[in-house]
Amino acid sequence: MIDAFRLVRSDIPGLQLALVGSMALDDPQGWDVYRQISDAGRDDPDIHVFTNLTGVGNVEVNAFQRFSSVMIQKSIREGFGLVVSEALWKGTPIVAGRVGGIPLQVADEAGGVLVGSTAECAKTLLDLLEDPGRSAALGAAGRERVRRHFLLPRLLLDELTLLDGLAHGDRPGALMTRSDHRDPVCGLTVPPGSGTPSAEKRATLATSVHSGAVPPSSRELRRDDPAVARR
């Protein structure tokens, strides 16, 4: 990530990199990574390391996610990767690795670009930083994807859709097998071309539940929080 940043900075003078995360007392490997990152950026005035050791908490992470030009989540392995949805909900485009649950969140040109190598990461960062229009469009599409797939109203809709189906005589599992049109995240049946789980007799339910918009839950900082590329 630092190598990719330095490649981009040669074309965009004044670019800065903020590495934001949290140090856990029970994660000795994390401390090794922290020392490596600190050593790599020690003599570089454009690289900044922020952790809970320096007073960075959820409020500060929110600010980084909201006001950065581009977020980076270059994970080599990942679970779901909630940091990605947090950034996308704020309309910030993201450059991320193709691991774990990240491709579920960054898909179909929504939210950002998936990358592999350092060179690919650098090229993508440069493209987004030099094209604010594309960056804004990716961020807006990412926010909409999070709204459709990863907010609490969506999860509530899944539960209510299941209960409604059972109340109308659907056998357990019917919503997962009724057709080939399935939501890419949870597997529920969706109408062709639709991004929300629904069924013909559940249109009113879908409308009422999706009227809310609750952001992803806040969480404590973690070592694998994203780096931030900012002008």
Side-chain angles (χ1 to χ4, degrees):
M1 188 181 305
I2 292 176
D3 291 341
F5 161 74
R6 286 173 170 158
L7 289 172
V8 177
R9 186 178 54 183
S10 63
D11 291 295
I12 304 181
L15 187 68
Q16 297 185 62
L17 176 70
L19 298 157
V20 187
S22 179
M23 304 308 301
L25 296 177
D26 60 349
D27 185 6
Q29 184 181 11
W31 289 95
D32 291 337
V33 173
Y34 175 74
R35 282 189 286 268
Q36 292 172 19
I37 290 174
S38 298
D39 291 342
R42 190 179 309 280
D43 298 323
D44 193 326
D46 293 325
I47 296 178
H48 313 277
V49 180
F50 299 101
T51 74
N52 54 321
L53 302 178
T54 56
V56 172
N58 288 338
V59 172
E60 290 78 15
V61 170
N62 174 71
F64 277 114
Q65 291 174 335
R66 190 172 297 275
F67 295 110
S68 298
S69 299
V70 179
M71 299 288 298
I72 308 170
Q73 184 70 19
K74 189 66 173 63
S75 303
I76 57 176
R77 56 182 185 272
E78 189 63 82
F80 175 71
L82 180 60
V83 166
V84 174
S85 281
E86 289 177 345
L88 295 183
W89 179 246
K90 300 171 179 71
T92 303
I94 192 162
V95 175
R98 297 184 184 89
V99 295
I102 293 176
L104 288 175
Q105 302 169 75
V106 182
D108 305 321
E109 289 296 313
V113 182
L114 300 175
V115 297
S117 66
T118 298
E120 187 180 8
C121 181
K123 181 182 184 304
T124 301
L125 282 172
L126 181 61
D127 291 344
L128 293 180
L129 291 169
E130 290 186 332
D131 190 346
R134 183 189 177 204
S135 293
L138 284 173
R143 178 180 170 87
E144 177 61 15
R145 183 170 178 82
V146 171
R147 186 191 72 80
R148 285 179 175 272
H149 295 294
F150 304 115
L151 299 187
L152 291 179
R154 153 61 195 277
L155 301 177
L156 178 60
L157 176 61
D158 291 351
E159 297 289 341
L160 294 177
T161 300
L162 174 62
L163 294 174
D164 186 61
L166 295 175
H168 284 82
D170 289 342
R171 60 182 177 81
L175 291 176
M176 303 292 288
T177 58
R178 184 172 293 156
S179 76
D180 292 332
H181 302 293
R182 299 184 185 178
D183 183 272
V185 176
C186 74
L188 282 177
T189 296
V190 296
S194 171
T196 56
S198 179
E200 295 81 4
K201 62 187 178 184
R202 298 169 178 79
T204 302
L205 173 65
T207 301
S208 63
V209 172
H210 271 279
S211 63
V214 181
S217 60
S218 63
R219 46 87 180 106
E220 293 298 320
L221 289 171
R222 301 181 319 195
R223 175 170 55 84
D224 60 348
D225 277 337
V228 185
R230 179 179 177 144
R231 291 188 185 274

